[in-house]
Amino acid sequence: MITRSLKRITSVWIITVLVLFVTAIIFGITMRFNQGKDLTMSPVGFYSLMTTHGITMIGIWAAAGLVAVNYLLGRYVKVSVSLNVFAFVTTVIGVLMIWATTFIGKYHAGWTFLYPLPLQVAWAKWATPVFLFGLGILGAGWLIWSVGMLLQILSKYSLKQAFAWQHFSKNPAVETPPLVLISTVSLIGIIVSLLTAVILLVLYFLEYFSGGNFTNDPLLMKNLTYFFGHTIANESLYLGLAAVYELMPESSGRPRFKTTWYVALAWNCTLVFILTAFFHHLYMDFVQPVGFQMIGQLASYFASLPAAAVTAFSVIALVYRGRIRWSLTNTLFFIGIMGWLIGGIGAVIDATVSNNMILHNTLWVPAHFHTYNAMGNVLFCLAFFNWVAHEFAGTQASVKSFRLTTVLLLIGGFGFVLMFYLGGAYSMPRRFSVYPQEFTHAAILASLGAWFATVYLVAIVLIFANIIKKCLKVFSPSFSS
Ligand code: HEM
């Protein structure tokens, strides 16, 4: 059931996520202007900002997906508001600790905190344990919250029903809504990735406090890091897709999506393959057994293709020749699907071993992940925010007033990522504060990228302004659920 307190905490999350998002975009634009030589930052300043930007963005959009799924699950199962509030508190504490390490302590090992960087202290000594501890608090909150949500699903649906296995035979007695199926698959992935993060953090602390008596195995640490990082980043996207399945038909005035055998099969495949696709991050680690590299390539294809094919098919069937009432909500869902598919193609190209020999650690990498995040998952979550804000305010989404916002979003967003793709195609390296002279066009592309990102920022601020007033309504004393 969707209670008033669930609406209030959802509103608090939305406002917090949007404030952090606008701030993190400004960090991103600052970095891109620095790469474009339009402004000058010290290398330490750049990498501290890159670390803050990366971890904040990954964190807020994982959290936003959990917020959306938690709210929408309230339509089918009983959800716990206390766990939601608990996760919010741990998130705020975690973010404050992490930001303190990067801004005050100048910690700058990147959001992936790849071993042994955090232990090669090139910043305030306290920053390493505080960064790792902050991550631990944040992760623990989400882990408990995600386990809670999964248990709530399982209190109504058996495990087989949650995976929609009964849909493999004709006329199933119980229907599993797509939201429940996709949430189950994604929450399991999130839980496994967060448990891995716990192991990783314990190993870091063991080495940190051992006084040199214990050292970790770098290859094991890299496998654990990418299992965690790749999985959480991708599962966040699937949480966003759960909202697409639940709300896109509804906000378009069309019949709800149903779980069919092929939808069930695609999402069950996704569960398995998403957990093994991370091996594509280790293609350049030649000591890794060759079999793992093969699994990496195949799992990258199988993790993305079934879910993408089924979703694209469902969305095309929804909009093709149908009478759609286009509002900001379903427009954001639609553009988000486009961004997700384009970014996904970029990712599959990079995950192919022969291509990765050329594209590895070039700007192709931020190109594809910014596409399916900034123009994919972010838009899924913004669509949910917009839909729920209207629900809070008891208003209907207007049809015309968002045209300017859409145009700015499309030009700014796709222009911004195009500059990364061009850089990647010319083998420009990623994570360079200032590009080497040999890359004659790198600074121009960076500068253009920053201007496009500024246009994207304007669109985001317009959406934010539209949402925030409605979200605040839930705090008015006269608000009734
Ligand atoms: C318009 C908005 C954004 C701008 C201007 C921006 C800009 C940047 C820039 C310049 C970098 C460094 C690229 C490099 O040289 O390697 C970067 C890295 C990154 N960005 Fe964004 N970004 C934006 C949106 C996002 C979003 C929505 C996400 C969501 C997940 C995100 C996640 C990341 C991550 C994870 C990194 C890597 C950090 C690291 O390597 O430690 N960014 N971004």
Side-chain angles (χ1 to χ4, degrees), residues 186-473:
S186 314
L187 287 171
I188 291 176
I190 293 217
I191 291 167
V192 176
S193 75
L194 289 173
L195 286 172
T196 310
V198 173
I199 299 172
L200 189 62
L201 292 178
V202 169
L203 289 174
Y204 262 120
F205 279 122
L206 278 178
E207 180 165 344
Y208 186 81
F209 291 114
S210 75
N213 294 324
F214 171 77
T215 34
N216 280 294
D217 177 74
L219 189 61
L220 173 68
M221 293 298 270
K222 188 165 180 186
N223 272 284
L224 290 173
T225 304
Y226 278 104
F227 180 82
F228 154 67
H230 175 87
T231 309
I232 195 143
N234 280 268
E235 298 292 1
S236 308
L237 197 73
Y238 295 146
L239 291 173
L241 276 171
V244 176
Y245 273 75
E246 180 68 15
L247 294 178
M248 191 165 175
E250 189 175 316
S251 58
S252 308
R254 306 284 309 225
R256 301 173 74 81
F257 284 150
K258 291 221 179 310
T259 302
T260 54
W261 68 266
Y262 53 86
V263 170
L265 182 66
W267 285 99
N268 277 269
C269 288
T270 301
L271 171 70
V272 177
F273 292 117
I274 198 71
L275 298 179
T276 39
F278 80 95
F279 284 127
H280 63 220
H281 286 278
L282 287 106
Y283 288 156
M284 294 294 155
D285 297 271
F286 302 114
V287 287
Q288 186 91 328
V290 176
F292 286 175
Q293 316 288 35
M294 291 176 176
I295 293 173
Q297 176 164 327
L298 293 174
S300 305
Y301 292 168
F302 294 135
S304 48
L305 296 182
V310 163
T311 309
F313 175 76
S314 306
V315 170
I316 289 169
L318 181 91
V319 297
Y320 185 65
R321 291 199 177 165
R323 283 190 171 204
I324 300 280
R325 186 183 175 276
W326 287 103
S327 64
L328 184 57
T329 301
N330 54 11
T331 304
L332 288 173
F333 278 138
F334 189 75
I335 302 174
I337 296 282
M338 271 168 32
W340 172 51
L341 293 176
I342 297 170
I345 293 168
V348 167
I349 291 175
D350 192 24
T352 305
V353 173
S354 51
N355 299 335
N356 194 269
M357 304 287 281
I358 297 161
L359 296 174
H360 194 87
N361 271 347
T362 64
L363 286 176
W364 193 271
V365 182
H368 74 67
F369 76 69
H370 278 95
T371 314
Y372 60 65
N373 279 308
M375 292 307 283
N377 189 30
V378 167
L379 304 193
F380 299 155
C381 295
L382 289 178
F384 164 75
F385 290 176
N386 188 61
W387 171 84
V388 85
H390 277 288
E391 183 155 283
F392 294 162
T395 48
Q396 272 258 322
S398 120
V399 181
K400 281 195 189 130
S401 60
F402 63 87
R403 282 202 185 130
L404 173 68
T405 312
T406 312
V407 171
L408 293 176
L409 195 70
L410 284 168
I411 295 177
F414 284 121
F416 160 62
V417 293
L418 179 65
M419 297 305 121
F420 273 148
Y421 281 112
L422 290 175
Y426 283 105
S427 295
M428 290 168 194
R430 69 181 287 204
R431 290 183 178 144
F432 265 54
S433 160
V434 178
Y435 294 107
Q437 277 178 355
E438 289 73 17
F439 295 101
T440 40
H441 296 109
I444 300 162
L445 290 179
S447 196
L448 281 171
W451 285 113
F452 278 119
T454 309
V455 175
Y456 176 87
L457 176 63
V458 174
I460 296 298
V461 171
L462 289 174
I463 296 173
F464 187 4
N466 189 33
I467 289 173
I468 192 163
K469 272 186 271 164
K470 300 184 183 75
C471 280
L472 289 173
K473 291 220 159 132

Side-chain angles (χ1 to χ4, degrees), residues 21 24-33 35 46-47 50-61 109-113 233 362-363 366 369-370 373-375 377-378 412-413 416 420 429-433 435 449-450 452-454 456-457 460:
F21 184 41
I25 294 179
I26 295 170
F27 295 163
I29 293 174
T30 311
M31 282 191 285
R32 213 66 184 116
F33 273 132
Q35 291 172 327
F46 177 89
Y47 289 110
M50 190 185 83
T51 306
T52 324
H53 168 84
I55 195 119
T56 306
M57 288 292 199
I58 293 289
I60 57 176
W61 296 110
W111 95 269
T112 44
F113 57 102
T362 64
L363 286 176
F369 76 69
H370 278 95
N373 279 308
M375 292 307 283
N377 189 30
V378 167
F416 160 62
F420 273 148
R430 69 181 287 204
R431 290 183 178 144
F432 265 54
S433 160
Y435 294 107
F452 278 119
T454 309
Y456 176 87
L457 176 63
I460 296 298

